[in-house]
Amino acid sequence: MKILKIISITILFLFVFIFGYTRLERITPLNFVDHNEINHGVFSDIAIHGYDPVSYHTENKAVEGRSDITLEWHGAVWQFATEHNRSQFEASPEKYAPLFGGYCAFAGSKGFTADTDPSVFEIIDGQLILFAADDVRKEWMKDPETNMNTCHKNWED
């Protein structure tokens, strides 16, 4: 009886730990995700960890946005480094917002969502693509055309 109780508690602990970890890392099968959803923090509505989506395009680097220069779009709060960047995004959000809702493109090519590191990115054909880590970005970039097609197919299914 005591062993059953220990096994039950262990299984419950593992379940809670794994569930909590996957929620924090935003790991979910793509068919469980609303494809209009923007990746944002578990406890906030801030998109792409508060980084300015326009700066990726204009400066080719990740620049933190300011909490006093924001815009709400698709249920998320976007932060910007400048008023000008906010105006550019407001005029054409699809041009500046990351593909695949700001989730990791590598994970998307495998049929999952995963949170991203906003400093790990690529701009391909004018579109911002984010990744969870540099090693998965490198792997994905070995065949970006195939991986992009797979991501689009997985995202749309």
Side-chain angles (χ1 to χ4, degrees):
M1 207 53 146
K2 188 174 184 178
I3 287 189
L4 274 168
K5 188 174 184 179
I6 291 171
I7 290 172
S8 298
I9 290 170
T10 302
I11 290 171
L12 179 63
F13 173 78
L14 286 173
F15 176 78
V16 169
F17 176 77
I18 291 168
F19 180 77
Y21 176 79
T22 59
R23 293 308 305 151
L24 286 174
E25 292 299 318
R26 318 277 296 151
I27 299 170
T28 309
L30 273 173
N31 58 350
F32 289 9
V33 175
D34 174 3
H35 293 186
N36 291 318
E37 177 185 322
I38 299 295
N39 182 18
H40 55 76
V42 174
F43 301 109
S44 77
D45 291 339
I46 297 175
I48 59 174
H49 297 276
Y51 279 72
D52 181 341
V54 176
S55 294
Y56 290 99
H57 297 271
T58 59
E59 298 182 41
N60 197 35
K61 66 179 182 177
V63 176
E64 288 189 64
R66 293 177 31 185
S67 61
D68 61 329
I69 305 176
T70 64
L71 177 74
E72 187 171 328
W73 181 72
H74 276 270
V77 175
W78 300 80
Q79 294 182 321
F80 303 91
T82 67
E83 294 282 348
H84 178 72
N85 285 4
R86 179 173 60 185
S87 296
Q88 285 186 284
F89 185 89
E90 189 170 28
S92 187
E94 288 82 9
K95 177 179 177 180
Y96 297 107
L99 287 179
F100 316 117
Y103 290 100
C104 176
F106 179 85
S109 70
K110 305 300 181 199
F112 289 88
T113 64
D115 198 12
T116 55
D117 175 343
S119 67
V120 183
F121 71 97
E122 291 286 337
I123 303 285
I124 298 178
D125 296 329
Q127 295 290 300
L128 173 60
I129 302 164
L130 298 172
F131 298 91
D134 197 47
D135 59 336
V136 297
R137 181 194 63 79
K138 287 176 183 172
E139 184 65 29
W140 195 89
M141 289 302 293
K142 289 179 181 175
D143 190 0
E145 185 176 333
T146 299
N147 288 324
M148 182 72 87
N149 290 335
T150 303
C151 282
H152 279 295
K153 183 182 180 310
N154 289 346
W155 190 253
E156 293 165 5
D157 284 347

